[in-house]
Amino acid sequence: MQTQSETRAIAPEIQSIANTIRITGWIAFWIQLGLAVVSGLTLLFAATGRGFAEQPIAGLGVGIFWAGCGILVLLFSVYWDFRYTRIGKRLGNINPALHPSKADTVKVIRWGIIAALIGMLLNLLGAGSTIGVLVAKSISQPPGVAITDPYKIIRALDVFVAVANINGIAAHFVGTISSLWLFERVNQH
């Protein structure tokens, strides 16, 4: 026989916000995880290719460093997205004792926003330094087809560092947008 507390349903607005948090968490989780894998593999290829290249990649070490830092923060953001799904599940539970408070939920979402913004900043620093190196290499080449210094040629490995940073920026942008949207939705209730 069911007790009165077991038959009691969750308020529709709480169920709605629980579903929103859970679904948004899953969507952001998978998008950011996919972009993290692409960014990580691209960076790994660029970093390992440096050892096989006959010439050093001058100046791209800074871009690789910032991209690596951005990917580490991105992995934290992916974990945080998964945490959103758990918060949504707890909020959708019939037992109100298991519901996280609104203040705790807002605090978790704020940390998600902060992590995404920090990650975006790190990848912007990496992209900026990488693009700076690529521009310097491109303007140092003489016009025409004769290349006098092979160290000034823009190679595919140079571009891979920029690609890793741009993918990191895109992933952190997804995290920022999803966290800001959740922040707005939670504050409306």
Side-chain angles (χ1 to χ4, degrees):
M1 178 158 204
Q2 292 181 336
T3 65
Q4 185 180 16
S5 64
E6 290 175 338
T7 59
R8 185 176 49 190
I10 301 172
E13 59 272 357
I14 292 177
Q15 187 63 44
S16 171
I17 195 68
N19 287 337
T20 299
I21 292 172
R22 192 175 68 252
I23 291 170
T24 303
W26 279 121
I27 291 170
F29 174 84
W30 287 111
I31 291 172
Q32 284 192 304
L33 183 62
L35 288 170
V37 167
V38 170
S39 184
L41 289 175
T42 306
L43 185 65
L44 182 67
F45 184 70
T48 57
R50 289 176 61 176
F52 297 118
E54 296 173 8
Q55 59 197 24
I57 303 175
L60 287 180
V62 175
I64 291 173
F65 171 76
W66 289 120
C69 291
I71 289 172
L72 289 176
V73 175
L74 181 55
L75 292 176
F76 174 79
S77 288
V78 168
Y79 161 73
W80 216 249
D81 292 335
F82 182 75
R83 190 165 176 192
Y84 289 161
T85 66
R86 302 298 92 196
I87 288 172
K89 187 174 181 179
R90 282 181 43 209
L91 196 56
N93 195 320
I94 294 173
N95 184 358
L98 297 177
H99 292 184
S101 69
K102 183 176 180 178
D104 289 342
T105 305
V106 168
K107 186 169 32 170
V108 167
I109 293 171
R110 276 191 188 136
W111 276 107
I113 294 168
I114 290 168
L117 289 174
I118 288 172
M120 198 179 309
L121 173 67
L122 295 173
N123 281 122
L124 281 169
L125 291 171
S129 64
T130 303
I131 298 299
V133 169
L134 294 177
V135 168
K137 282 185 169 187
S138 70
I139 62 174
S140 68
Q141 294 177 1
V145 293
I147 304 293
T148 57
D149 188 3
Y151 294 106
K152 295 179 182 174
I153 297 173
I154 297 175
R155 298 173 303 153
L157 291 176
D158 301 344
V159 178
F160 279 128
V161 178
V163 170
N165 279 299
I166 297 300
N167 281 329
I169 292 168
H172 288 297
F173 180 75
V174 168
T176 302
I177 294 301
S178 64
S179 294
L180 284 172
W181 191 71
L182 285 177
F183 186 77
E184 181 64 28
R185 295 285 297 163
V186 168
N187 278 331
Q188 284 179 356
H189 290 285

Coordinates of all heavy atoms in Angstrom, one line a residue, residues 38-39 42-43 45-47 50 57-58 60 63-64 67 126-127 129-131 133-135 137-138 141 153-167:
V38 N 38.3 16.0 -30.2 CA 38.9 16.6 -31.4 C 40.1 17.5 -31.1 O 41.1 17.4 -31.7 CB 37.8 17.3 -32.2 CG1 38.4 18.1 -33.4 CG2 36.8 16.3 -32.7
S39 N 39.9 18.4 -30.1 CA 40.9 19.3 -29.7 C 42.1 18.6 -29.2 O 43.3 18.9 -29.5 CB 40.4 20.3 -28.7 OG 41.3 21.3 -28.4
T42 N 44.0 16.7 -32.0 CA 44.7 17.7 -32.8 C 45.9 18.2 -32.1 O 47.0 18.3 -32.8 CB 43.7 18.8 -33.2 OG1 42.5 18.3 -33.8 CG2 44.4 19.8 -34.2
L43 N 45.8 18.5 -30.9 CA 46.9 19.0 -30.1 C 48.0 17.9 -29.9 O 49.2 18.2 -30.0 CB 46.5 19.6 -28.8 CG 47.6 20.2 -27.9 CD1 48.1 21.5 -28.6 CD2 47.1 20.6 -26.6
F45 N 48.5 15.5 -32.0 CA 49.2 15.3 -33.2 C 50.2 16.4 -33.5 O 51.3 16.1 -33.9 CB 48.2 15.3 -34.4 CG 48.7 15.0 -35.7 CD1 49.2 13.8 -36.0 CD2 48.8 16.0 -36.7 CE1 49.8 13.5 -37.3 CE2 49.3 15.8 -37.9 CZ 49.8 14.5 -38.2
A46 N 49.9 17.6 -33.1 CA 50.8 18.8 -33.3 C 52.0 18.6 -32.4 O 53.1 18.9 -32.8 CB 50.1 20.1 -33.1
A47 N 51.7 18.3 -31.2 CA 52.8 18.2 -30.2 C 53.8 17.0 -30.5 O 55.0 17.2 -30.4 CB 52.3 18.0 -28.8
R50 N 56.0 17.7 -33.6 CA 57.2 18.5 -33.4 C 58.5 17.7 -33.3 O 59.5 18.1 -33.7 CB 57.0 19.3 -32.1 CG 56.0 20.4 -32.2 CD 55.8 21.1 -30.9 NE 57.1 21.7 -30.5 CZ 57.2 22.5 -29.4 NH1 56.2 22.7 -28.6 NH2 58.4 23.0 -29.1
I57 N 59.3 24.1 -34.4 CA 58.2 25.0 -34.6 C 58.4 26.2 -33.7 O 58.1 26.2 -32.5 CB 56.9 24.3 -34.2 CG1 56.7 23.1 -35.1 CG2 55.7 25.2 -34.4 CD1 55.5 22.2 -34.7
A58 N 59.0 27.2 -34.2 CA 59.4 28.4 -33.4 C 58.2 29.2 -32.9 O 57.3 29.5 -33.7 CB 60.3 29.3 -34.3
L60 N 55.6 28.2 -31.3 CA 54.3 27.6 -31.1 C 54.2 26.8 -29.8 O 53.1 26.4 -29.4 CB 54.0 26.6 -32.3 CG 53.7 27.3 -33.6 CD1 53.4 26.3 -34.7 CD2 52.5 28.2 -33.4
G63 N 51.5 28.4 -27.7 CA 50.2 28.1 -28.2 C 49.8 26.7 -27.7 O 48.7 26.4 -27.3
I64 N 50.8 25.8 -27.8 CA 50.5 24.4 -27.3 C 50.3 24.4 -25.8 O 49.4 23.7 -25.3 CB 51.7 23.5 -27.7 CG1 51.7 23.3 -29.2 CG2 51.6 22.1 -27.0 CD1 53.0 22.6 -29.8
A67 N 46.8 25.8 -25.2 CA 45.8 24.8 -25.6 C 45.6 23.6 -24.6 O 44.5 23.2 -24.3 CB 46.1 24.3 -27.0
G126 N 46.0 31.0 -26.3 CA 46.7 30.1 -27.2 C 46.5 30.4 -28.6 O 47.4 30.4 -29.4
A127 N 45.2 30.7 -29.0 CA 44.9 31.0 -30.4 C 45.6 32.3 -30.8 O 46.1 32.4 -31.9 CB 43.4 31.1 -30.6
S129 N 48.4 33.7 -29.6 CA 49.8 33.5 -29.8 C 50.1 32.6 -31.0 O 51.1 32.9 -31.7 CB 50.5 32.8 -28.5 OG 49.9 31.5 -28.3
T130 N 49.3 31.6 -31.3 CA 49.5 30.8 -32.5 C 49.3 31.6 -33.7 O 50.1 31.5 -34.7 CB 48.6 29.6 -32.4 OG1 48.8 28.9 -31.2 CG2 48.8 28.7 -33.6
I131 N 48.2 32.4 -33.8 CA 47.9 33.2 -35.0 C 49.0 34.2 -35.1 O 49.4 34.5 -36.3 CB 46.6 33.9 -34.9 CG1 45.5 32.8 -34.8 CG2 46.3 34.8 -36.0 CD1 45.4 31.9 -36.0
V133 N 52.2 33.8 -34.4 CA 53.3 33.1 -35.1 C 53.1 32.9 -36.5 O 53.9 33.1 -37.4 CB 53.6 31.8 -34.3 CG1 54.6 31.0 -35.1 CG2 54.1 32.1 -32.9
L134 N 51.8 32.5 -36.9 CA 51.5 32.2 -38.3 C 51.5 33.5 -39.1 O 52.0 33.5 -40.2 CB 50.1 31.6 -38.4 CG 50.0 30.2 -37.8 CD1 48.5 29.7 -37.9 CD2 50.9 29.2 -38.4
V135 N 51.1 34.6 -38.5 CA 51.2 35.9 -39.3 C 52.6 36.3 -39.5 O 53.0 36.7 -40.5 CB 50.3 37.0 -38.5 CG1 50.6 38.3 -39.1 CG2 48.9 36.7 -38.6
K137 N 55.2 34.4 -39.6 CA 55.8 33.5 -40.7 C 55.3 33.9 -42.1 O 56.1 33.9 -43.0 CB 55.5 32.0 -40.4 CG 56.3 31.4 -39.3 CD 55.9 29.9 -39.3 CE 56.9 29.2 -38.4 NZ 56.7 27.7 -38.5
S138 N 54.1 34.2 -42.2 CA 53.5 34.6 -43.5 C 54.1 35.9 -44.0 O 54.4 36.0 -45.2 CB 52.0 34.6 -43.5 OG 51.5 35.7 -42.8
Q141 N 57.9 35.8 -45.4 CA 58.2 35.1 -46.6 C 58.3 36.1 -47.8 O 57.4 37.0 -47.9 CB 57.1 34.0 -46.9 CG 57.1 32.9 -46.0 CD 56.0 31.9 -46.2 OE1 55.2 32.1 -47.2 NE2 55.9 30.9 -45.4
I153 N 58.4 28.7 -43.2 CA 57.3 28.1 -44.0 C 56.2 27.8 -43.0 O 56.5 27.2 -41.9 CB 57.8 26.9 -44.7 CG1 58.8 27.2 -45.8 CG2 56.6 26.2 -45.4 CD1 59.4 26.0 -46.4
I154 N 55.0 28.1 -43.3 CA 53.9 27.7 -42.5 C 53.6 26.2 -42.8 O 53.2 25.9 -44.0 CB 52.6 28.6 -42.7 CG1 53.0 30.0 -42.3 CG2 51.4 28.0 -42.0 CD1 51.9 31.0 -42.6
R155 N 53.7 25.4 -41.8 CA 53.4 23.9 -42.1 C 52.1 23.5 -41.4 O 51.5 24.3 -40.7 CB 54.6 23.1 -41.4 CG 55.9 23.4 -42.0 CD 57.0 22.8 -41.3 NE 57.0 23.2 -39.9 CZ 57.4 22.5 -38.9 NH1 58.0 21.3 -39.1 NH2 57.4 22.9 -37.7
A156 N 51.7 22.3 -41.8 CA 50.4 21.8 -41.3 C 50.4 21.7 -39.8 O 49.4 22.0 -39.1 CB 50.1 20.5 -41.9
L157 N 51.5 21.4 -39.2 CA 51.7 21.3 -37.7 C 51.4 22.6 -37.1 O 50.9 22.7 -36.0 CB 53.0 20.7 -37.3 CG 53.3 19.3 -37.7 CD1 54.7 18.9 -37.3 CD2 52.3 18.3 -37.0
D158 N 51.8 23.7 -37.7 CA 51.6 25.0 -37.2 C 50.1 25.3 -37.1 O 49.6 25.8 -36.1 CB 52.2 26.1 -38.1 CG 53.7 25.9 -38.2 OD1 54.3 25.2 -37.4 OD2 54.3 26.5 -39.1
V159 N 49.4 24.9 -38.1 CA 47.9 25.1 -38.2 C 47.2 24.3 -37.2 O 46.1 24.7 -36.7 CB 47.4 25.0 -39.7 CG1 46.0 25.2 -39.8 CG2 48.2 25.9 -40.6
F160 N 47.7 23.1 -37.0 CA 47.0 22.2 -36.0 C 46.9 22.8 -34.6 O 45.9 22.5 -33.9 CB 47.6 20.8 -36.0 CG 47.2 19.9 -37.1 CD1 48.2 19.3 -37.9 CD2 45.9 19.6 -37.4 CE1 47.8 18.4 -38.9 CE2 45.5 18.8 -38.4 CZ 46.5 18.2 -39.2
V161 N 47.9 23.5 -34.2 CA 47.8 24.2 -32.9 C 46.7 25.2 -32.9 O 45.9 25.3 -31.9 CB 49.2 24.8 -32.6 CG1 49.1 25.5 -31.2 CG2 50.3 23.8 -32.6
A162 N 46.5 25.9 -34.0 CA 45.5 26.9 -34.1 C 44.1 26.2 -34.1 O 43.2 26.6 -33.4 CB 45.6 27.8 -35.3
V163 N 44.0 25.1 -34.8 CA 42.7 24.3 -34.8 C 42.4 23.8 -33.4 O 41.2 23.9 -33.0 CB 42.8 23.2 -35.8 CG1 41.7 22.2 -35.7 CG2 43.0 23.7 -37.2
A164 N 43.4 23.3 -32.7 CA 43.1 22.8 -31.3 C 42.6 23.9 -30.4 O 41.6 23.7 -29.7 CB 44.4 22.2 -30.7
N165 N 43.2 25.1 -30.5 CA 42.7 26.2 -29.7 C 41.3 26.7 -30.1 O 40.5 27.0 -29.3 CB 43.7 27.4 -29.8 CG 44.9 27.2 -28.9 OD1 44.7 27.1 -27.7 ND2 46.1 27.1 -29.5
I166 N 41.0 26.7 -31.4 CA 39.7 27.2 -31.9 C 38.6 26.2 -31.5 O 37.5 26.6 -31.0 CB 39.7 27.3 -33.4 CG1 40.7 28.4 -33.8 CG2 38.3 27.6 -33.9 CD1 40.4 29.8 -33.3
N167 N 38.9 24.9 -31.5 CA 38.0 23.9 -31.0 C 37.7 24.0 -29.5 O 36.6 23.8 -29.1 CB 38.4 22.5 -31.4 CG 38.2 22.1 -32.8 OD1 37.2 22.5 -33.4 ND2 39.0 21.3 -33.4

